[in-house]
Amino acid sequence: MSKQNPQLDAQGNLKHFLTTEGLSRDLLTDILDQAEGFLGVAQQAVKKVPLCRGKVIANLFFETSTRTRTTFELAAKRLSADVLNLNISTSATAKGETLLDTLRNLEAMHVDMFVVRHATSGAAHFIAAHADPHVSVINAGDGRHAHPTQAMLDMFTIRRHKQDFSRLRVAIVGDIMHSRVARSQILALKTLGVPEVRVIAPSTLMPNGIEEAFGVRAYHDLREGVRDVDVIIMLRIQHERMNSSLLPSEHEYFRLFGLTEERLSTAQPDAIVMHPGPINRGVEMDSQVADGPRSVILEQVSNGIAVRMAVMSMCIGTQNLKSQPQGDVDG
Ligand code: CP
């Protein structure tokens, strides 16, 4: 593995995808370009390509998920991989088996890739550090730390609507403090050349020193923060990661930080509205906005399949799209 970045192999190719931190603009752009190539697979009569045929991919979700788990599974199946979905609640983890023992047992079944979601920050890095050398690890969200494929599907969605990152103003609104998504998005947006990233939150949900640490502008007023922006990314209130109540009430939060049609009107007329999901309607945003013409929330979900196909095939080292047959391939 490269000394520079533990996610890269000795040739500088993606081996694991654990965080958007420290990856080059070229590599992030390569993920987006590869994902463009995979969008068409959904339109084929048989939605499969053979890039990961013969590979075994294990989904290890130690935390709840709807979108990430299912789109990873679909992406792996579209790449023709064999997929293991470990049900943690009925697995030996519930009997006290350690993470490493679970890992070793799955490796004994010749797994080639682990897709890991875990409530503990650093869990995916830990697995990558202890896995067999041929095994790749993708972080599907670890604690408050990172959710890199979510960030990349968000970058992909932004690029499809706005083309040029170098002219954008992007606002990220909500629970910045506890959000692994926000952290991964900010790092990716900065690497891809977005000149102005704003974060908007009540002071109890805004990390100290975020402006200096991440090169963003912090706002505590939604109306002011979304003025003239091209992209608004709303975040979920992460009650499960709060040690104490940091909000007076959900009603009060919506009154001050909920996105409504009226507040959206101060953004650019063609601004898009995003949310990684799950949405708390009437808390983070009004249903009129969530289901309105500026919302690209369900597009984000569809794009997640293509982006995850790109990341998985790149990590497994089979992503040569030039040799990719366009027809039905899985016999
Ligand atoms: N965006 C996201 O991670 O959603 P899930 O928790 O449903 O996977």
Side-chain angles (χ1 to χ4, degrees), residues 64-69 117 140 147 150 180-181 276-278:
T64 56
S65 168
T66 297
R67 283 142 290 269
T68 311
R69 201 198 64 72
R117 168 167 290 193
H147 194 349
Q150 177 68 47
R180 57 195 176 204
V181 173

mmCIF file of all heavy atoms in Angstrom, residues 64-69 117 140 147 150 180-181 276-278, ligand 1:
data_model
loop_
_atom_site.group_PDB
_atom_site.id
_atom_site.type_symbol
_atom_site.label_atom_id
_atom_site.label_comp_id
_atom_site.label_asym_id
_atom_site.label_seq_id
_atom_site.Cartn_x
_atom_site.Cartn_y
_atom_site.Cartn_z
ATOM 1 N N THR A 64 -28.389 0.756 11.112
ATOM 2 C CA THR A 64 -29.513 0.730 10.183
ATOM 3 C C THR A 64 -29.194 1.491 8.885
ATOM 4 O O THR A 64 -28.376 2.413 8.885
ATOM 5 C CB THR A 64 -30.763 1.374 10.805
ATOM 6 O OG1 THR A 64 -30.394 2.708 11.200
ATOM 7 C CG2 THR A 64 -31.265 0.593 11.993
ATOM 8 N N SER A 65 -29.851 1.087 7.819
ATOM 9 C CA SER A 65 -29.680 1.764 6.526
ATOM 10 C C SER A 65 -30.786 1.306 5.593
ATOM 11 O O SER A 65 -31.175 0.141 5.616
ATOM 12 C CB SER A 65 -28.320 1.406 5.922
ATOM 13 O OG SER A 65 -28.258 1.828 4.575
ATOM 14 N N THR A 66 -31.286 2.223 4.788
ATOM 15 C CA THR A 66 -32.186 1.838 3.688
ATOM 16 C C THR A 66 -31.461 2.047 2.370
ATOM 17 O O THR A 66 -31.172 1.108 1.630
ATOM 18 C CB THR A 66 -33.480 2.677 3.723
ATOM 19 O OG1 THR A 66 -34.165 2.382 4.940
ATOM 20 C CG2 THR A 66 -34.390 2.343 2.552
ATOM 21 N N ARG A 67 -31.124 3.302 2.071
ATOM 22 C CA ARG A 67 -30.552 3.654 0.774
ATOM 23 C C ARG A 67 -29.174 3.037 0.534
ATOM 24 O O ARG A 67 -28.912 2.440 -0.517
ATOM 25 C CB ARG A 67 -30.411 5.189 0.646
ATOM 26 C CG ARG A 67 -31.684 5.919 0.348
ATOM 27 C CD ARG A 67 -31.723 7.238 1.096
ATOM 28 N NE ARG A 67 -31.874 6.976 2.499
ATOM 29 C CZ ARG A 67 -33.057 6.899 3.113
ATOM 30 N NH1 ARG A 67 -34.122 7.172 2.438
ATOM 31 N NH2 ARG A 67 -33.150 6.587 4.385
ATOM 32 N N THR A 68 -28.272 3.201 1.487
ATOM 33 C CA THR A 68 -26.883 2.787 1.252
ATOM 34 C C THR A 68 -26.784 1.272 1.085
ATOM 35 O O THR A 68 -26.148 0.776 0.155
ATOM 36 C CB THR A 68 -25.986 3.271 2.417
ATOM 37 O OG1 THR A 68 -26.265 4.652 2.647
ATOM 38 C CG2 THR A 68 -24.524 3.093 2.091
ATOM 39 N N ARG A 69 -27.449 0.537 1.975
ATOM 40 C CA ARG A 69 -27.328 -0.927 1.911
ATOM 41 C C ARG A 69 -27.931 -1.470 0.617
ATOM 42 O O ARG A 69 -27.331 -2.295 -0.070
ATOM 43 C CB ARG A 69 -28.002 -1.585 3.118
ATOM 44 C CG ARG A 69 -27.498 -2.987 3.388
ATOM 45 C CD ARG A 69 -28.418 -3.791 4.278
ATOM 46 N NE ARG A 69 -29.722 -4.027 3.675
ATOM 47 C CZ ARG A 69 -29.958 -4.863 2.664
ATOM 48 N NH1 ARG A 69 -28.974 -5.554 2.136
ATOM 49 N NH2 ARG A 69 -31.171 -4.996 2.167
ATOM 50 N N ARG A 117 -20.768 -0.553 7.336
ATOM 51 C CA ARG A 117 -21.357 0.583 8.083
ATOM 52 C C ARG A 117 -21.281 0.244 9.561
ATOM 53 O O ARG A 117 -21.633 -0.867 9.970
ATOM 54 C CB ARG A 117 -22.804 0.836 7.678
ATOM 55 C CG ARG A 117 -23.477 1.812 8.657
ATOM 56 C CD ARG A 117 -24.776 2.345 8.177
ATOM 57 N NE ARG A 117 -24.592 3.257 7.059
ATOM 58 C CZ ARG A 117 -25.561 4.055 6.600
ATOM 59 N NH1 ARG A 117 -26.746 4.054 7.156
ATOM 60 N NH2 ARG A 117 -25.339 4.851 5.576
ATOM 61 N N ALA A 140 -19.170 2.507 4.350
ATOM 62 C CA ALA A 140 -20.555 2.899 4.044
ATOM 63 C C ALA A 140 -21.121 3.780 5.151
ATOM 64 O O ALA A 140 -22.334 3.889 5.306
ATOM 65 C CB ALA A 140 -21.407 1.645 3.862
ATOM 66 N N HIS A 147 -18.629 9.336 5.213
ATOM 67 C CA HIS A 147 -19.580 8.569 4.392
ATOM 68 C C HIS A 147 -19.199 8.903 2.939
ATOM 69 O O HIS A 147 -19.908 9.623 2.238
ATOM 70 C CB HIS A 147 -21.009 9.003 4.735
ATOM 71 C CG HIS A 147 -22.086 8.094 4.231
ATOM 72 N ND1 HIS A 147 -21.859 7.072 3.320
ATOM 73 C CD2 HIS A 147 -23.432 8.040 4.505
ATOM 74 C CE1 HIS A 147 -22.997 6.453 3.057
ATOM 75 N NE2 HIS A 147 -23.958 7.021 3.773
ATOM 76 N N GLN A 150 -21.555 8.426 -0.182
ATOM 77 C CA GLN A 150 -22.653 9.399 -0.183
ATOM 78 C C GLN A 150 -22.152 10.734 -0.745
ATOM 79 O O GLN A 150 -22.806 11.354 -1.591
ATOM 80 C CB GLN A 150 -23.187 9.600 1.240
ATOM 81 C CG GLN A 150 -24.295 10.651 1.346
ATOM 82 C CD GLN A 150 -25.590 10.227 0.667
ATOM 83 O OE1 GLN A 150 -26.047 9.109 0.871
ATOM 84 N NE2 GLN A 150 -26.183 11.112 -0.133
ATOM 85 N N ARG A 180 -21.413 12.786 9.419
ATOM 86 C CA ARG A 180 -20.309 12.226 8.619
ATOM 87 C C ARG A 180 -20.480 12.616 7.152
ATOM 88 O O ARG A 180 -19.524 12.742 6.416
ATOM 89 C CB ARG A 180 -20.282 10.707 8.779
ATOM 90 C CG ARG A 180 -21.580 9.999 8.409
ATOM 91 C CD ARG A 180 -21.598 8.572 8.919
ATOM 92 N NE ARG A 180 -22.859 7.872 8.671
ATOM 93 C CZ ARG A 180 -23.296 6.847 9.374
ATOM 94 N NH1 ARG A 180 -22.581 6.390 10.370
ATOM 95 N NH2 ARG A 180 -24.426 6.243 9.091
ATOM 96 N N VAL A 181 -21.739 12.806 6.737
ATOM 97 C CA VAL A 181 -22.004 13.181 5.348
ATOM 98 C C VAL A 181 -21.431 14.575 5.073
ATOM 99 O O VAL A 181 -20.738 14.784 4.066
ATOM 100 C CB VAL A 181 -23.523 13.144 5.053
ATOM 101 C CG1 VAL A 181 -23.825 13.699 3.674
ATOM 102 C CG2 VAL A 181 -24.061 11.727 5.173
ATOM 103 N N PRO A 276 -29.444 13.722 1.876
ATOM 104 C CA PRO A 276 -28.970 12.336 1.751
ATOM 105 C C PRO A 276 -30.016 11.313 2.175
ATOM 106 O O PRO A 276 -29.888 10.129 1.847
ATOM 107 C CB PRO A 276 -27.761 12.294 2.702
ATOM 108 C CG PRO A 276 -27.985 13.400 3.683
ATOM 109 C CD PRO A 276 -28.745 14.466 2.938
ATOM 110 N N GLY A 277 -31.054 11.767 2.925
ATOM 111 C CA GLY A 277 -32.047 10.855 3.457
ATOM 112 C C GLY A 277 -31.507 10.157 4.701
ATOM 113 O O GLY A 277 -30.298 10.074 4.871
ATOM 114 N N PRO A 278 -32.381 9.619 5.550
ATOM 115 C CA PRO A 278 -33.827 9.798 5.497
ATOM 116 C C PRO A 278 -34.239 11.217 5.906
ATOM 117 O O PRO A 278 -33.610 11.813 6.776
ATOM 118 C CB PRO A 278 -34.332 8.775 6.526
ATOM 119 C CG PRO A 278 -33.187 8.568 7.477
ATOM 120 C CD PRO A 278 -31.939 8.784 6.693
HETATM 121 N N1 CP B 1 -27.999 8.463 3.080
HETATM 122 C C1 CP B 1 -27.936 7.361 3.865
HETATM 123 O O1 CP B 1 -26.873 6.958 4.329
HETATM 124 O O2 CP B 1 -29.141 6.737 4.037
HETATM 125 P P1 CP B 1 -29.337 5.330 4.772
HETATM 126 O O3 CP B 1 -29.028 5.544 6.215
HETATM 127 O O4 CP B 1 -30.754 4.930 4.506
HETATM 128 O O5 CP B 1 -28.354 4.370 4.169
#
